[in-house]
Amino acid sequence: MKGYKYLLFTGLLTTTLACNDFGDINVNPNSALFPNTASLITGAERTVGTMNAQVGPGGFNIAPALYVQQFSDVTYIEDSRYKTINFSYNGLYSGPLVNLQAIIDQNTNEATRGLAATYGSNGNQIAIARILKAYVFQYITDRWGDVPYSQALKADQNFSPAFDKQQDIYNDLFKEWKAAAAQFDGGKAVTGDIMLSSNATRWKKFAASLRLIAALRLSKVDPAKGKTEFAAALADGVLASNADNVQYKYLADANNENPLYTNYVRSNRKDFALSNTFVNYLKQVNDPRLTVFAAKNLKGEYIGAPYGVFPAPGKAQDYSLAGAAISAQTAPVNIMTYAQVLFAQAEAVKLGWITGDAKALYESAIKASMQQWLGSSYTDAALAAYIAQPDVAYSDAKAIELIGNQRWIALFFQGTESWNEWRRTGYPSLKPAPTTLNGGTAIPRRLAYPTTETTLNAKNYAEVVTRQGKDDQYTRVWWDK
């Protein structure tokens, strides 16, 4: 009888369990089912800061700053001699892109929209996430060319995404930035936005400015579309003063400090100094920004490190490291500046894309850059003397070269953007390192894919190499003609 009762009780318990939803029985009640979107956006923006801190530990950012010779190696003369060919973008996909997609998904899906709205209106969060997601994708495609895009970020739905053509990616990025800017809804501010403090006006200007710069990238391969997109972006309202500059601001905190400070001070490595190419040019044109960009060496001089020379002819103290405005613990990094936007407009006038005064825009761009870097030390008299010099004075016949040279200066410590503009225009005129590694014969034009693609995504990797060209540092991306 007792056994029967036990079996009956077991049967009733089983029935009860079967009739109730115990799908969450193994869910930890102290662990959130979904990460909060405020943390996700902060994390993504921190990575955007790292992407723009061109020199520092960790590596994948460093190459372009060396390729355009704003910096040079000091002790280990390898990166400026093009030793590394394959670079990994895996961390960008698994880090900020996944986080930004999660923000979009949580604010879109009915089941999670309410919870996500705790950290800002759904529309505002989606808008910021889409702008940044498109920004990171542009950063990736500009470096590697054709990359996974439309099939990326699908998690277990697709572990082997195809590579989209860069042209198709660019066409979609223009749409993304415009549509994202239109999604700001005037609702609750976004928590966790440490870049622009959920200021919709500033985000819209940033998105339009990204479209402007991206449009100019098409000047050699699709000038008709470039012209159309450029004019549309300008009409929507781009950065209009240095107050609009988009920066990532580091903190007096070892966990979120400027990477150059980490390299120079915390690690005491001092791996990178300004290159002699850059310093000598600034001396040639008597550029007052040199005193901000560079620190004096032990002899009290501004001396650049010889670019790509092996073995190293000196020690770190012989050369000019980056100045405090660049390398202090809390020194910010620039993501988009007013000067950059003005140089783009000056070039667009020269190309016939928009009407205006190319000379005035060129000089205004130099002024904006000097004011940005010199601060209270800036004077109109110094600007007038500077732009009157033969190597700086505007000439319609040499407009593209002059704009290119001055943009290279203004984009100091924005190595990726400087490299992009050098590849597109050929200015400034640079020579490769005197002794190169791994068969290098010229300044690299792209980064080769991460080696993981050859094994984990072999079929699609083979297809993209057949279509785009050899997977090395000299196969040019679509817009680089």
Side-chain angles (χ1 to χ4, degrees):
M1 188 69 177
K2 289 182 179 179
Y4 174 78
K5 287 182 177 179
Y6 176 78
L7 290 173
L8 178 62
F9 173 76
T10 303
L12 289 171
L13 179 61
T14 304
T15 303
T16 303
L17 286 171
C19 294
N20 286 276
D21 182 8
F22 279 78
D24 293 336
I25 197 168
N26 290 320
V27 175
N28 181 354
N30 298 314
S31 179
L33 287 174
F34 300 97
N36 76 69
T37 53
S39 295
L40 292 177
I41 198 163
T42 299
E45 290 180 352
R46 287 190 64 177
T47 303
V48 168
T50 303
M51 286 160 51
N52 285 276
Q54 296 300 310
V55 178
F60 73 83
N61 303 337
I62 190 173
L66 294 170
Y67 295 163
V68 293
Q69 300 172 30
Q70 293 175 335
F71 282 85
S72 182
D73 301 298
V74 174
T75 304
Y76 303 101
I77 316 300
E78 298 174 344
D79 291 306
S80 58
R81 298 168 66 210
Y82 324 135
K83 176 184 179 181
T84 305
I85 297 175
N86 297 90
F87 292 80
S88 179
Y89 48 50
N90 295 334
L92 295 175
Y93 280 96
S94 63
L97 287 176
V98 164
N99 287 350
L100 292 166
Q101 186 61 52
I103 293 170
I104 295 168
D105 292 343
Q106 287 190 42
N107 281 279
T108 302
N109 297 336
E110 286 299 325
T112 55
R113 280 170 55 87
L115 178 63
T118 304
Y119 307 105
S121 75
N122 299 129
N124 289 343
Q125 290 188 66
I126 294 171
I128 292 174
R130 288 179 74 181
I131 291 169
L132 287 176
K133 179 185 167 188
Y135 173 81
V136 176
F137 267 121
Q138 185 195 23
Y139 179 91
I140 294 171
T141 188
D142 282 347
R143 285 168 161 243
W144 284 272
D146 296 358
V147 294
Y149 180 73
S150 61
Q151 294 182 16
L153 311 181
K154 303 296 184 183
D156 58 357
Q157 297 178 37
N158 188 349
F159 286 127
S160 302
F163 291 70
D164 293 74
K165 294 180 180 179
Q166 186 176 57
Q167 181 176 11
D168 296 335
I169 296 172
Y170 257 75
N171 287 340
D172 197 62
L173 293 180
F174 289 122
K175 297 175 184 176
E176 275 295 294
W177 281 316
K178 187 171 181 66
Q183 282 194 270
F184 286 100
D185 58 15
K188 184 179 178 180
V190 175
T191 305
D193 175 15
I194 57 176
M195 263 176 51
L196 296 179
S197 303
S198 194
N199 186 317
T201 299
R202 295 196 66 193
W203 275 108
K204 289 177 183 179
K205 287 183 178 181
F206 181 37
S209 299
L210 287 168
R211 288 162 53 202
L212 190 89
I213 300 300
L216 198 57
R217 208 82 92 221
L218 310 187
S219 63
K220 300 287 181 64
V221 291
D222 195 351
K225 181 172 181 60
K227 179 179 180 179
T228 298
E229 293 289 349
F230 193 98
L234 191 61
D236 283 344
V238 295
L239 307 191
S241 73
N242 279 330
D244 290 332
N245 289 351
V246 180
Q247 298 180 316
Y248 181 83
K249 297 179 179 179
Y250 286 102
L251 305 176
D253 182 329
N255 295 312
N256 191 20
E257 66 188 13
N258 187 297
L260 260 184
Y261 178 86
T262 305
N263 186 268
Y264 284 179
V265 179
R266 194 170 299 282
S267 301
N268 195 29
R269 290 180 58 91
K270 300 176 174 62
D271 288 316
F272 311 103
L274 275 67
S275 78
N276 59 348
T277 307
F278 192 69
V279 171
N280 291 347
Y281 186 79
L282 266 61
K283 287 181 176 180
Q284 177 184 323
V285 295
N286 302 299
D287 199 306
R289 288 167 288 187
L290 176 60
T291 61
V292 178
F293 293 158
K296 293 179 180 179
N297 67 4
L298 279 183
K299 294 182 180 180
E301 303 170 321
Y302 292 108
I303 302 293
Y307 180 74
V309 174
F310 180 83
K315 302 176 290 298
Q317 55 263 41
D318 297 328
Y319 306 120
S320 290
L321 303 179
I326 311 296
S327 63
Q329 187 178 26
T330 60
V333 291
N334 294 308
I335 298 171
M336 177 74 70
T337 67
Y338 178 48
Q340 186 179 357
V341 168
L342 287 172
F343 279 123
Q345 291 179 64
E347 185 177 345
V349 171
K350 179 61 181 173
L351 294 173
W353 286 10
I354 59 173
T355 59
D357 186 335
K359 178 177 182 293
L361 286 164
Y362 166 76
E363 292 175 352
S364 293
I366 296 173
K367 178 178 181 179
S369 178
M370 285 193 171
Q371 290 177 326
Q372 170 194 334
W373 289 108
L374 298 176
S376 60
S377 298
Y378 166 84
T379 66
D380 286 338
L383 173 68
Y386 182 78
I387 61 178
Q389 298 177 98
D391 288 338
V392 181
Y394 182 84
S395 162
D396 194 59
K398 296 175 61 180
I400 301 300
E401 177 182 357
L402 290 166
I403 292 169
N405 290 345
Q406 284 297 318
R407 179 161 44 204
W408 176 57
I409 298 172
L411 287 174
F412 180 65
F413 207 52
Q414 287 178 263
T416 293
E417 276 305 297
S418 189
W419 183 47
N420 291 339
E421 297 294 1
W422 172 80
R423 287 186 287 166
R424 184 179 63 83
T425 67
Y427 296 110
S429 179
L430 300 172
K431 295 179 181 179
T435 57
T436 58
L437 297 169
N438 287 334
T441 56
I443 299 170
R445 311 294 297 206
R446 70 178 282 270
L447 308 183
Y449 294 119
T451 55
T452 51
E453 293 289 13
T454 64
T455 54
L456 301 180
N457 199 8
K459 178 178 179 291
N460 290 315
Y461 173 78
E463 289 178 356
V464 74
V465 171
T466 299
R467 180 179 71 226
Q468 181 172 253
K470 185 179 179 181
D471 185 21
D472 65 10
Q473 69 270 55
Y474 296 118
T475 292
R476 301 191 180 199
V477 302
W478 166 69
W479 52 254
D480 178 16
K481 304 299 180 186

